[in-house]
Amino acid sequence: SQQGEEDPQALSIQEGENATMNCSYKTSINNLQWYRQNSGRGLVHLILIRSNEREKHSGRLRVTLDTSKKSSSLLITASRAADTASYFCATDGGFQKLVFGTGTRLLVSP
Amino acid sequence: GAGVSQSPSNKVTEKGKDVELRCDPISGHTALYWYRQSLGQGLEFLIYFQGNSAPDKSGLPSDRFSAERTGGSVSTLTIQRTQQEDSAVYLCASSFRKASPLHFGNGTRLTVT
């Protein structure tokens, strides 16, 4: 199966702290993407990292990719209550369909 | 411009009835996906359309599920003889090309009673 897995399944932190979520996957990839979901509805794309990239930044987000370990991490710095959501990684299995991981539920308390 | 539109937003149906869920992707997007998400769970891949290629139906859970995409645009997901385990949020997403970032609709929440 191509599906990735995120850990932890749930993460609870205080505002201002950093949040780190990890994603492991099984097949080769062309790119890996991270998405955010609020309220169990549509997902929003956050960041895409290509297989030949090792790190990428977007605002308070930092994504790393280690293709030798088939893993990625998403770091949210200086978290805010508004960051409370579920976060998913998605892999393309080498330019195939996008398959999502199991997600990390992040709770940021004021 | 308009995003991905799904209708209806909520659907309650009786066990054994057929349902049709509709997705209007962003104009010009060649890729279209259907996913299913049960409460508190991850996204389960159902089907993937890419341009004029044959769809990837490998995620459809049974032959009660089918989908089509007409004219490379609107897609309909049909569930025949619905069962209670079909209750979930059905999400549609489209992207400009293969492996590009996806744009999601707000989903259809299906409840089978």
Side-chain angles (χ1 to χ4, degrees), chain A residues 52-86:
Chain A
N52 61 353
E53 297 176 311
R54 292 297 168 257
E55 187 171 313
K56 202 161 184 180
H57 297 253
S58 176
R60 293 184 297 112
L61 306 181
R62 182 172 78 97
V63 169
T64 60
L65 178 65
D66 186 335
T67 53
S68 67
K69 295 180 179 178
K70 290 187 168 59
S71 67
S72 174
S73 67
L74 170 67
L75 168 67
I76 304 174
T77 60
S79 62
R80 306 165 181 168
D83 295 328
T84 294
S86 291

Side-chain angles (χ1 to χ4, degrees), chain A residues 3 30-31 33 35 37 39-45 48 50 88 90 92 95-103 105, chain B residues 9-10 33 35 37 40-43 45 48 56 58 89 91 98-109:
Chain A
Q3 185 174 27
N30 181 60
N31 68 53
Q33 304 179 32
Y35 289 78
Q37 183 181 39
S39 306
R41 288 290 183 151
L43 282 71
V44 174
H45 178 259
L48 180 153
R50 302 190 191 285
F88 295 87
D92 67 357
F95 222 47
Q96 302 298 317
K97 60 183 180 284
L98 275 173
V99 175
F100 285 78
T102 50
R105 294 188 306 279
Chain B
S9 56
N10 287 283
Y33 292 79
Y35 297 93
Q37 186 175 35
Q41 302 298 309
L43 274 72
F45 166 77
Y48 163 52
D56 181 337
S58 60
V89 175
L91 292 164
K98 184 186 283 190
S100 294
L102 294 181
H103 298 257
F104 278 82
N106 283 328
T108 294
R109 184 179 300 279

Side-chain angles (χ1 to χ4, degrees), chain B residues 3-105:
Chain B
V4 177
S5 177
Q6 290 188 247
S7 61
S9 56
N10 287 283
K11 176 71 176 179
V12 180
T13 190
E14 292 180 353
K15 177 181 173 182
K17 300 281 191 181
D18 298 352
V19 295
E20 283 190 355
L21 312 180
R22 177 187 170 105
C23 173
D24 281 273
I26 292 173
S27 178
H29 279 195
T30 63
L32 187 147
Y33 292 79
W34 284 96
Y35 297 93
R36 176 169 74 172
Q37 186 175 35
S38 300
L39 187 63
Q41 302 298 309
L43 274 72
E44 176 188 4
F45 166 77
L46 296 178
I47 188 168
Y48 163 52
F49 297 88
Q50 174 59 52
N52 295 321
S53 302
D56 181 337
K57 303 179 182 180
S58 60
L60 294 178
S62 77
D63 58 7
R64 296 186 295 106
F65 288 72
S66 63
E68 63 177 18
R69 187 178 186 191
T70 54
S73 182
V74 172
S75 177
T76 302
L77 177 68
T78 301
I79 309 173
Q80 296 178 311
R81 305 181 301 283
T82 52
Q83 303 295 312
Q84 288 188 328
E85 60 262 29
D86 299 335
S87 297
V89 175
Y90 289 80
L91 292 164
C92 175
S94 69
S95 67
F96 180 65
R97 56 173 178 256
K98 184 186 283 190
S100 294
L102 294 181
H103 298 257
F104 278 82

